[in-house]
Amino acid sequence: MSTNSEEQDNMRLCAACGIAEVDDIKLKGCAACDLVRYCGDTCQQDHMPQHMSACKKRAAELRDEILFKQPESSHHGDCPICCIPLPIDAQQSTMSLCCSTILCDGCNFANQTREVLGSLDRRCPFCRHPVDKGSQREARMKRIEANDPVALRVTGNEAIDKGDYKSAFEYFSKAARLGDISAHFSLSLMYDKGEGVEKDKKKEVYHLEHAAIGGQPNARYNLGCEEWDNGRLRRAVKHFIISAKLGYDKPLDALKVCYREGLVSKEDFAAALRGQQAAVDATKSPQREAVESAREKADTARVAR
């Protein structure tokens, strides 16, 4: 059995020719696994047949370490005004088109109340840009021209609503390249349904994984379903637990089935339930609850008519 000292010594030697890293000889690690090092491209190519199996195994392990790490929060992050986590339900947040900033409805409602009571002109709660269709439209076009990923993704959503899947794919692809997590999820749906592109399971999973790593709970849940359908039940359970702990309630039903089938322990199931509730509770505030109460009263009055 090799010791840590021996492994460190091996990392100072070229895995192919055995030359040591001294003076002007610099070794570079295998980019995929970082298990071995080489003095040059020739040695790396010569050693690849021997190294391939171990390289693929370690690369998969490293990928899983990233993939199954519990994100600190959902992809929405915190409201930049109240600094409380944004709800998973996008219906409970509002995006300011002028600055592409997502604000919770509580802060947005509080700002609108202040403006009404003070007879003030309407402005964005975050960047203070005037709120009117003309100026907001102009500001949004500037955000698109500046390659703002959120503005690109929202424009892609509008293209989807219009049935323009080709344009939507272009906007989503550009937003995803710029790091927008929701755009990756939207692309996964397009590859799954074959809307604007040919159905491609490999690309669908690729975008699902990027979205899941970024904290998108629905993408994480869909990954769990993919693993379940492929018979990789233990991996599916991991995805369901991570998704639940982000505050998403959909995987709870799947975890109930897993618990009955003995695929998840009582402790892990209970931890997932507590984590889901804790994530939901973390998004609550008096301002947000006031908005929800107002909506419920409005809905009740509408039904009464």
Side-chain angles (χ1 to χ4, degrees):
M1 182 180 293
S2 62
T3 64
N4 289 337
S5 178
E6 290 174 340
E7 291 176 357
Q8 291 175 1
D9 289 341
N10 289 336
M11 288 297 286
R12 298 192 185 98
L13 304 175
C14 175
C17 67
I19 192 170
E21 184 176 43
V22 292
D23 299 330
D24 59 339
I25 299 175
K26 302 297 181 183
L27 304 181
K28 64 175 183 178
C30 175
C33 66
D34 202 32
L35 287 175
V36 294
R37 303 177 76 188
Y38 301 101
C39 61
D41 293 338
T42 301
C43 276
Q44 185 170 5
Q45 292 173 4
D46 292 342
H47 189 252
M48 187 52 64
Q50 300 169 251
H51 177 56
M52 182 68 72
S53 178
C55 182
K56 286 184 176 180
K57 181 181 178 182
R58 182 54 182 159
E61 291 173 350
L62 292 173
R63 178 64 176 174
D64 278 356
E65 287 179 10
I66 297 172
L67 181 60
F68 289 108
K69 182 179 180 181
Q70 179 73 46
E72 293 182 1
S73 65
S74 79
H75 62 302
H76 291 310
D78 297 343
C79 171
I81 294 180
C82 65
C83 298
I84 296 175
L86 289 165
I88 287 178
D89 185 359
Q91 300 289 331
Q92 298 177 23
S93 302
T94 304
M95 194 195 82
S96 294
L97 297 178
C98 49
C99 57
S100 299
T101 302
I102 299 176
L103 307 169
C104 74
D105 283 352
C107 289
N108 197 44
F109 181 72
N111 181 65
Q112 291 178 3
T113 302
R114 180 184 63 84
E115 290 172 342
V116 170
L117 295 178
S119 300
L120 304 173
D121 293 334
R122 291 193 62 194
R123 291 182 176 274
C124 169
F126 187 72
C127 71
R128 312 310 299 165
H129 190 278
V131 177
D132 63 74
K133 291 183 179 180
S135 62
Q136 284 226 321
R137 189 179 300 111
E138 182 182 349
R140 181 178 174 188
M141 291 306 300
K142 288 182 179 179
R143 301 302 298 177
I144 293 174
E145 292 171 3
N147 288 329
D148 184 306
V150 176
L152 290 166
R153 185 238 306 160
V154 171
T155 306
N157 289 335
E158 293 178 350
I160 285 283
D161 293 337
K162 296 175 183 177
D164 186 359
Y165 297 113
K166 181 179 179 181
S167 295
F169 179 77
E170 292 175 357
Y171 281 118
F172 289 149
S173 297
K174 192 169 186 178
R177 288 195 297 271
L178 292 168
D180 189 83
I181 299 302
S182 294
H184 277 293
F185 180 61
S186 296
L187 286 171
S188 76
L189 297 178
M190 295 189 77
Y191 279 114
D192 176 50
K193 300 175 182 177
E195 294 178 339
V197 292
E198 292 185 8
K199 288 187 176 182
D200 191 318
K201 182 60 66 176
K202 187 176 180 180
K203 290 182 179 179
E204 176 196 349
V205 172
Y206 169 83
H207 288 292
L208 280 177
E209 288 186 348
H210 273 276
I213 291 170
Q216 219 289 358
N218 203 347
R220 178 71 67 176
Y221 173 76
N222 286 0
L223 268 182
C225 294
E226 287 289 336
E227 296 288 12
W228 185 274
D229 292 342
N230 290 322
R232 296 188 285 265
L233 307 186
R234 297 294 178 185
R235 293 174 66 87
V237 168
K238 289 182 180 179
H239 286 304
F240 292 149
I241 290 176
I242 293 172
S243 178
K245 288 184 177 180
L246 289 171
Y248 197 39
D249 58 0
K250 200 170 183 179
L252 295 181
D253 288 336
L255 285 172
K256 290 176 185 177
V257 174
C258 294
Y259 177 61
R260 287 197 298 268
E261 296 295 325
L263 296 172
V264 60
S265 67
K266 181 178 180 180
E267 292 75 15
D268 288 342
F269 183 40
L273 291 174
R274 291 194 300 269
Q276 193 272 341
Q277 188 59 54
V280 172
D281 290 342
T283 65
K284 294 180 179 179
S285 73
Q287 291 82 5
R288 297 180 188 182
E289 290 177 0
V291 174
E292 285 301 306
S293 177
R295 282 176 177 163
E296 290 176 1
K297 290 180 180 178
D299 290 341
T300 302
R302 193 176 299 112
V303 171
R305 292 176 188 173

